[in-house]
Amino acid sequence: MVLVKTMYRNPKEYIDKEVTISGWVRTIRSSKNVGFIEINDGSFFKNIQVVFDSSLENFAEIGKLAISSSIKVEGLLVETPNSKQPFEIQAKAVTIEGMSNSDYPLQKKRHTLEYLRTIAHLRPRSNTFSAVFRVRSVAAHAIHKFFQDRGFVYVHTPIITSSDCEGAGEMFRVTTLDMKNPPVTEEGKIDYSNDFFGKEASLTVSGQLEGEIFALAFRNIYTFGPTFRAENSNTARHASEFWMIEPEIAFAELVDNMDLAEDMIKYVINDVLENAPEEIAFFNSFIDKGLLDRLNNIVNSDFERVTYTKAIEILQSSGHKFDYPVEWGMDLQTEHERYITEKVFNKPVFVTDYPAEIKAFYMRLNEDGKTVAAMDLLVPGVGEIIGGSQREERHDVLVEKIENMGLSKEDYWWYLELRKYGETKHSGFGLGFERLIMYLTGMANIRDVLPFPRTPGSAEF
Amino acid sequence: MVLVKTMYRNPKEYIDKEVTISGWVRTIRSSKNVGFIEINDGSFFKNIQVVFDSSLENFAEIGKLAISSSIKVEGLLVETPNSKQPFEIQAKAVTIEGMSNSDYPLQKKRHTLEYLRTIAHLRPRSNTFSAVFRVRSVAAHAIHKFFQDRGFVYVHTPIITSSDCEGAGEMFRVTTLDMKNPPVTEEGKIDYSNDFFGKEASLTVSGQLEGEIFALAFRNIYTFGPTFRAENSNTARHASEFWMIEPEIAFAELVDNMDLAEDMIKYVINDVLENAPEEIAFFNSFIDKGLLDRLNNIVNSDFERVTYTKAIEILQSSGHKFDYPVEWGMDLQTEHERYITEKVFNKPVFVTDYPAEIKAFYMRLNEDGKTVAAMDLLVPGVGEIIGGSQREERHDVLVEKIENMGLSKEDYWWYLELRKYGETKHSGFGLGFERLIMYLTGMANIRDVLPFPRTPGSAEF
């Protein structure tokens, strides 16, 4: 058995030789004496053409195969210099392994992405999703290679948690309590001491705080795992379950953090361009005509770095009329972010040093006492793709920030202890993996880069 | 700034040169004029020794540093041919970055593993856990390399699910309903149509069924993600949240499945022996004296393959008295598994073709009508480490098995449709990642190979 990918990568080894392949019928047509099948064997984005003729005893049966039937083909691989494809197989035998049915929902015609979501068990067999999910796999591996090659320790931070990293709520409860008759305390509250973990538990929104624990032992670490938001927002950019990459580096300031993020983004893009060229070419032709230019632009440019204060000045003096008026202290809206990265700089931009009031408690307070050492990476076409910061390592400053934000010091006892036993400057960021995949493929809806998306009202498959 | 790992790996580049390092104090002792610090900088399992003397203006202050303080050291790296360590740094300047406190809970003495679990935010700084979690990271990357090098597509199967792979229950509920006043239907049941996903949702116990979707598009795929069991069992081998690797291969039978599992186990062990030799040497000396022999034995032996029926015969004729009497049809207990792999074969053993009645509905029924094409991999010292099977690809047989087990056909509509549209023979297995890490390190409790273990009654950090 030869894989189609192997034949495409090393055709000389197989040309004019007998080969055996197995795969699924993507298209089929036949006339009286000859037929053509495009087969995809799952190993490669491209199909291979099989020519079969009436010398096969099951010629008639083969000609009637429904799309997606699985077959085994033995035959001769020959070059086809005058065709679109470089070679084809002249079949000597075709064996049917699994018949498909004529009601196969993925017929060779244009389906809407919305329809394809309803058949998530079959859409990976379409060109578009075959490309999306292969790029997803290549990019995931690129992330691991990038960090591991640099000596970063991969840490599995917990999914079920009893703490709330952002202090932001919007978490899913995890419970084994009887929903109909939950135990209650004397005060009439739900008695979570009887729940599975002996306390209230939720799905994590971030592994950052636990990541800091590991950075303060292993210096350079990263997480790569699922995170959750119980946010009832039905947009093309939000999912309830998504994967996040969160590196954390010790003895490192904000500038090191930006360098790391820039290196990582460029590494992953280069790796995908190298290892999934057929898929990227497909996206560039059929999904997003500017994709390849945009990706090349990114790997070849030095990312811009500008403070929030400077960005506000640029926006205010731009003469552009924004829906949200621009003033210092506000959070940047998508329209502002895109204006900065697309109109002003036309390349990725780190915006740094945001007002402390609009950022999380763990970000390091700057000397000015009103901004924090935060950074967001904005990219053309998408907006924010990375958010990070230098972490507040000073015990007393951190306690003050926790109290000012109305959080409970006790809930963060171990996070605070990290600042008692050999604190160091340290920094980190979070990259939403799906946002990255959208960026790499040009796919516009997060539902189409997740194998089985979970969104409000939807947890199918 | 030089990393300690870099110095250990390429000492010649740094010997007799000025170097600057930063890290945490592991031990410190000083007399009137000279002091010694063992520093760990997080990049490497081993420490580096720093010698400092009274020529430093802050000599007295340095000498009083508490363990785990973070410091920066500038000095000369010199060889120390007569010492335990190959080189040391003669300090010209030591800068304190973050003071630790004298009540630091990880003093240089023997702590119990149970105690260390209560300080999971600090235990990664101990020798044992520094080694465990670095091996965990190396092994995780080895898994990815193994599959990606072979063209497998990595798929993120969903964590939140509305289906129950095993049909076994014991799942955590995921909900945003008000626990005190949940909506109820007219029949008085909880009305999950008002819950976040519009139906009852849980944490996945396996990504296998969704993995099959991807295998029937990409041929060879693997998952690597967290899975959950709401099982109230407090053993050294069970956790409520753990990571699992589940490859699935199309056009493949049970024998291909076993070949893949054997190759993978050997690959990961070899990779860890190569990339974490210091850690493995540590485990072999301090945790499990037979570890290195056992690992070498595995990579150098052909795994045994024996049917369940044959295994039962072997056990029955062994003359050994088991707590659970041996008879055909029973599930093998740990005592039986360990007897087979340790006493009978003294190497890893695949036991295949189990009685259909004790295995899951999706396993392929053999020609004999009473066994299924299942395989468990048993290894000396641990017992079962992998469970897998060829999947039932025949639509009608599968429907019958689903109905016989009292499951609902409708719940598996998409799983059944995979058998309508080009089914193929396919196989797969599941490897519990923590079991593998226990095996690689000799650590006896699953709580000590998970960064932040979740078990009944415990979800700290």
Side-chain angles (χ1 to χ4, degrees), chain B residues 201-236:
Chain B
S202 313
L203 292 179
T204 188
V205 297
S206 163
Q208 178 200 315
L209 304 195
E210 291 92 352
E212 288 185 49
I213 289 175
F214 269 60
L216 295 177
F218 293 101
R219 190 180 200 103
N220 294 329
I221 67 97
Y222 69 109
T223 73
F224 188 174
T227 47
F228 305 84
R229 292 282 187 294
E231 205 177 334
N232 197 2
S233 57
N234 257 306
T235 84

Side-chain angles (χ1 to χ4, degrees), chain B residues 43 112 186 217 259 387:
Chain B
S43 71
T112 66
E186 281 181 18
D259 290 346

Side-chain angles (χ1 to χ4, degrees), chain A residues 1 3 22-24 40-43 68-71 97-101 103-105 118 120-122 124-125 129-130 133-134 136-137 140-141 144-145 148 152-162 171-177 179-180 182 188-190 192 196-199 203 210 213-219 224-226 228-232 240-241 243 250-251 413-414 417-418 420-425 433 451-452 454-461, chain B residues 1 3 22-24 40-43 68-71 97-101 103-105 118 120-122 124-125 129-130 133-134 136-137 140-141 144-145 148 152-162 171-177 179-180 182 188-190 192 196-199 203 210 213-219 224-226 228-232 240-241 243 250-251 413-414 417-418 420-425 433 451-452 454-461:
Chain A
M1 197 77 73
L3 295 180
S22 55
W24 293 272
N40 189 286
D41 79 338
S43 72
S68 204
S69 296
S70 61
I71 58 177
E97 178 153 350
M99 304 279 280
S100 182
N101 282 300
D103 65 348
Y104 180 62
T118 67
H121 60 314
L122 300 173
R125 305 180 188 189
F129 288 96
S130 150
F133 294 126
R134 207 183 302 273
R136 189 178 167 106
S137 172
H141 191 46
H144 283 296
K145 284 188 292 186
Q148 295 270 349
F152 282 57
V153 168
Y154 177 35
V155 51
H156 290 135
T157 49
I159 310 301
I160 297 172
T161 179
S162 53
M171 297 172 84
F172 290 104
R173 169 168 292 114
V174 175
T175 181
T176 55
L177 288 180
M179 297 284 285
K180 280 222 60 178
K189 294 185 173 171
I190 301 287
Y192 288 107
F196 191 90
F197 295 108
K199 55 163 74 170
L203 292 179
E210 289 92 352
I213 288 174
F214 269 61
L216 295 178
F218 294 101
R219 190 180 201 103
F224 188 175
F228 304 85
R229 290 284 187 291
E231 205 178 333
N232 197 1
S240 311
E241 173 181 319
W243 285 64
F251 301 100
W413 70 270
W414 53 265
E417 279 204 356
L418 296 178
K420 269 179 66 184
Y421 302 119
E423 89 256 9
T424 70
K425 289 184 176 169
F433 186 57
F452 306 96
R454 271 75 182 101
T455 52
S458 177
E460 302 304 314
F461 302 96
Chain B
M1 198 77 74
L3 295 181
S22 55
W24 293 271
N40 190 285
D41 79 339
S43 71
S68 204
S69 296
S70 61
I71 58 176
E97 177 152 350
M99 305 279 280
S100 183
N101 282 300
D103 65 349
Y104 180 62
T118 67
H121 61 313
L122 301 173
R125 306 180 188 188
F129 288 97
S130 151
F133 295 126
R134 207 183 302 273
R136 189 177 166 106
S137 173
H141 191 45
H144 283 295
K145 284 188 291 184
Q148 295 269 349
F152 282 58
V153 168
Y154 177 35
V155 51
H156 291 134
T157 48
I159 310 301
I160 298 172
T161 179
S162 53
M171 298 173 82
F172 289 103
R173 167 169 292 115
V174 175
T175 182
T176 56
L177 289 180
M179 298 283 285
K180 281 223 58 178
K189 294 185 174 172
I190 301 289
Y192 288 106
F196 191 90
F197 295 108
K199 54 162 77 171
L203 292 179
E210 291 92 352
I213 289 175
F214 269 60
L216 295 177
F218 293 101
R219 190 180 200 103
F224 188 174
F228 305 84
R229 292 282 187 294
E231 205 177 334
N232 197 2
S240 310
E241 173 181 320
W243 285 64
F251 302 99
W413 69 270
W414 53 265
E417 279 204 355
L418 296 178
K420 269 179 66 183
Y421 302 120
E423 89 256 10
T424 70
K425 289 184 176 170
F433 186 57
F452 305 96
R454 272 74 182 101
T455 52
S458 176
E460 301 304 315
F461 301 96

Side-chain angles (χ1 to χ4, degrees), chain A residues 361-374:
Chain A
F361 73 91
Y362 50 72
M363 298 191 179
R364 191 179 198 277
L365 193 65
N366 286 327
E367 296 308 307
D368 62 17
K370 59 179 192 168
T371 61
V372 287

Side-chain angles (χ1 to χ4, degrees), chain A residues 37-244:
Chain A
I37 314 177
E38 295 264 338
I39 294 182
N40 189 286
D41 79 338
S43 72
F44 196 51
F45 179 64
K46 291 191 175 178
N47 305 323
I48 187 161
Q49 177 161 284
V50 171
V51 188
F52 63 104
D53 64 28
S54 51
S55 69
L56 302 187
E57 62 178 22
N58 58 354
F59 174 76
E61 198 189 356
I62 302 296
K64 285 185 216 129
L65 278 177
I67 290 180
S68 204
S69 296
S70 61
I71 58 177
K72 189 172 85 172
V73 176
E74 296 157 84
L76 193 70
L77 187 72
V78 296
E79 284 186 293
T80 51
N82 300 320
S83 305
K84 210 172 49 173
Q85 63 276 7
F87 39 68
E88 67 186 20
I89 297 175
Q90 292 171 347
K92 302 206 166 158
V94 177
T95 317
I96 300 168
E97 178 153 350
M99 304 279 280
S100 182
N101 282 300
S102 55
D103 65 348
Y104 180 62
L106 253 178
Q107 295 299 322
K108 192 175 167 56
K109 60 164 196 163
R110 200 144 180 105
H111 298 283
T112 65
L113 295 174
E114 288 75 13
Y115 169 70
L116 291 173
R117 282 175 214 147
T118 67
I119 51 167
H121 60 314
L122 300 173
R123 70 174 182 170
R125 305 180 188 189
S126 69
N127 282 334
T128 301
F129 288 96
S130 150
V132 166
F133 294 126
R134 207 183 302 273
V135 165
R136 189 178 167 106
S137 172
V138 169
H141 191 46
I143 297 278
H144 283 296
K145 284 188 292 186
F146 174 81
F147 286 114
Q148 295 270 349
D149 288 353
R150 283 155 187 75
F152 282 57
V153 168
Y154 177 35
V155 51
H156 290 135
T157 49
I159 310 301
I160 297 172
T161 179
S162 53
S163 67
D164 174 358
C165 169
E166 304 279 345
E170 314 246 276
M171 297 172 84
F172 290 104
R173 169 168 292 114
V174 175
T175 181
T176 55
L177 288 180
D178 179 355
M179 297 284 285
K180 280 222 60 178
N181 295 300
V184 289
T185 62
E186 279 182 17
E187 300 89 56
K189 294 185 173 171
I190 301 287
D191 184 3
Y192 288 107
S193 71
N194 280 311
D195 206 348
F196 191 90
F197 295 108
K199 55 163 74 170
E200 228 177 317
S202 313
L203 292 179
T204 188
V205 297
S206 163
Q208 178 200 316
L209 303 197
E210 289 92 352
E212 289 185 49
I213 288 174
F214 269 61
L216 295 178
F218 294 101
R219 190 180 201 103
N220 295 329
I221 67 95
Y222 69 109
T223 73
F224 188 175
T227 47
F228 304 85
R229 290 284 187 291
E231 205 178 333
N232 197 1
S233 58
N234 256 306
T235 83
R237 288 161 51 84
H238 291 87
S240 311
E241 173 181 319
F242 56 99
W243 285 64
M244 195 140 75

Side-chain angles (χ1 to χ4, degrees), chain A residues 7 29 107 254 404 433 439:
Chain A
M7 287 191 277
R29 64 200 157 88
Q107 295 299 322
L254 196 64
N404 284 347
F433 186 57
Y439 200 64

Side-chain angles (χ1 to χ4, degrees), chain B residues 25 34 61 105 114 117 170 239 250 301 305 313 358 361 368:
Chain B
V25 172
V34 65
E61 197 188 357
E114 289 74 14
R117 282 175 214 146
E170 314 246 275
S301 57
R305 300 176 185 202
E313 285 168 21
I358 58 171
F361 73 92
D368 62 16

